[in-house]
């Protein structure tokens, strides 16, 4: 059976960078589950539809294709907000569950899988061998997101980025289905005062202690 590493946490806590590096280091396959929700959200947003429309969002999730995951606009902030909205709809989550579980059970490379998201350790892969909950203060996360946007040459204001981050945290944490919460057996890794290399080293130590 393939080894599964579940990495959950709020937006911009550093889990994507960490998950990608861990997968490369261990020779595992990586799945960014947020991208799936972004793809569903953007199918609606692009068509001028409301991502909170239950019937349309469920239909978009059920008809999701690999091409949708390759769309070029999935990293923009509109996609993040749309993703967070479709993600609170139970029928959307149910439609996306099989794909994620299949990837975890039979990753393309056959060795192991690293999945990152909000509910990997609690709902998608409750049997994962290693569970990390990667977090950081909302101010630190907003600072990082602002820097990322500035590096891309996109104008952004700290106050707006912070407000967006709080809005998304609130929706992801308080939704009725699969809310953002550490699994009881997850190890919490707070990256507020760690750079990417330090977070990677800490995660490797945690993984080493579990295997
Ligand atoms: O990780 P991200 O920023 O790309 O995620 C975008 C949104 O998708 C996030 O605000 C909540 C939702 N999401 C989720 O509900 N469950 C997941 N496993 C991954 C993402």
């Amino acid at each position: 059976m393939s080894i599964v590493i579940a990495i959950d946490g709020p937006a911009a806590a550093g889990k994507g960078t960490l998950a990608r590096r861990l997968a490369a280091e261990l020779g595992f396959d990586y799945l960014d589950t947020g991208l799936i929700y972004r793809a569903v959200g953007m199918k609606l947003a692009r068509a001028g539809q409301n991502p909170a429309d239950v019937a349309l969002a469920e239909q978009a999730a059920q008809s999701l294709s690999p091409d949708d995951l390759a769309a070029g606009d999935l990293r923009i902030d509109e996609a993040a907000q749309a993703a967070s909205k479709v993600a609170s709809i139970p029928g959307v989550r149910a439609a996306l569950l099989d794909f994620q579980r299949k990837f975890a059970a039979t990753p393309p490379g056959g060795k192991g899988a690293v999945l990152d998201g909000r509910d990997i350790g609690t709902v998608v892969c409750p049997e994962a061998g290693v569970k990390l909950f990667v977090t950081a203060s909302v101010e630190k996360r907003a600072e990082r997101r602002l820097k990322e946007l500035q590096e891309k040459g996109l104008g952004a204001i700290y106050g707006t980025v912070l407000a967006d981050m709080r809005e998304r945290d609130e929706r992801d944490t308080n939704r009725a289905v699969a809310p953002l919460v550490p699994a009881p057996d997850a190890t919490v890794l707070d990256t507020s005062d760690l750079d990417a290399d330090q977070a990677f080293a800490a995660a490797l130590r945690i993984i080493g202690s579990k295997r």
Side-chain angles (χ1 to χ4, degrees):
M1 221 181 110
S2 94
I3 298 163
V4 178
I5 299 181
I7 304 189
D8 291 303
K15 59 187 192 315
T17 308
L18 178 63
R20 225 170 261 121
R21 279 182 76 172
L22 288 173
E25 172 81 15
L26 301 167
F28 288 7
D29 294 294
Y30 167 59
L31 181 65
D32 171 0
T33 66
L35 204 63
I36 308 174
Y37 289 91
R38 286 169 182 256
V40 174
M42 280 312 279
K43 273 175 85 162
L44 277 82
R46 259 185 244 118
Q49 294 162 336
N50 179 5
D53 184 308
V54 173
L56 290 177
E58 286 179 355
Q59 203 180 31
Q62 284 156 9
S63 63
L64 196 72
S65 74
D67 279 353
D68 294 323
L69 296 179
D73 57 0
L74 301 182
R75 289 281 150 222
I76 64 173
D77 276 358
E78 186 188 359
Q81 291 294 348
S84 176
K85 286 177 190 160
V86 298
S88 66
I89 300 170
V92 168
R93 304 200 72 86
L96 302 178
L97 203 52
D98 261 6
F99 175 83
Q100 298 173 77
R101 285 191 173 148
K102 256 187 214 133
F103 185 94
T106 51
K111 205 172 159 197
V114 181
L115 283 80
D116 85 28
R118 302 290 187 286
D119 62 338
I120 308 304
T122 50
V123 176
V124 179
C125 303
E127 310 297 333
V130 181
K131 297 181 187 181
L132 292 176
F133 190 84
V134 181
T135 189
S137 72
V138 70
E139 292 82 7
K140 277 278 164 70
R141 290 186 286 117
E143 271 169 36
R144 287 177 192 163
R145 179 53 51 87
L146 181 71
K147 199 165 156 243
E148 247 174 53
L149 292 170
Q150 286 169 343
E151 281 168 3
K152 284 186 195 154
L154 300 168
I157 299 163
Y158 176 73
T160 313
V161 175
L162 180 64
D164 279 0
M165 193 75 68
R166 286 207 164 110
E167 188 191 329
R168 202 138 70 94
D169 279 0
E170 164 80 17
R171 205 182 300 114
D172 295 347
T173 308
N174 294 317
R175 67 184 177 217
V177 242
L180 171 65
V181 62
D185 52 348
T187 304
V188 176
L189 176 58
D190 189 325
T191 66
S192 298
D193 298 314
L194 303 181
D195 64 21
D197 288 343
Q198 291 168 325
F200 179 59
L204 279 181
R205 277 197 299 274
I206 295 165
I207 293 167
S209 73
K210 305 272 174 197
R211 290 175 73 191

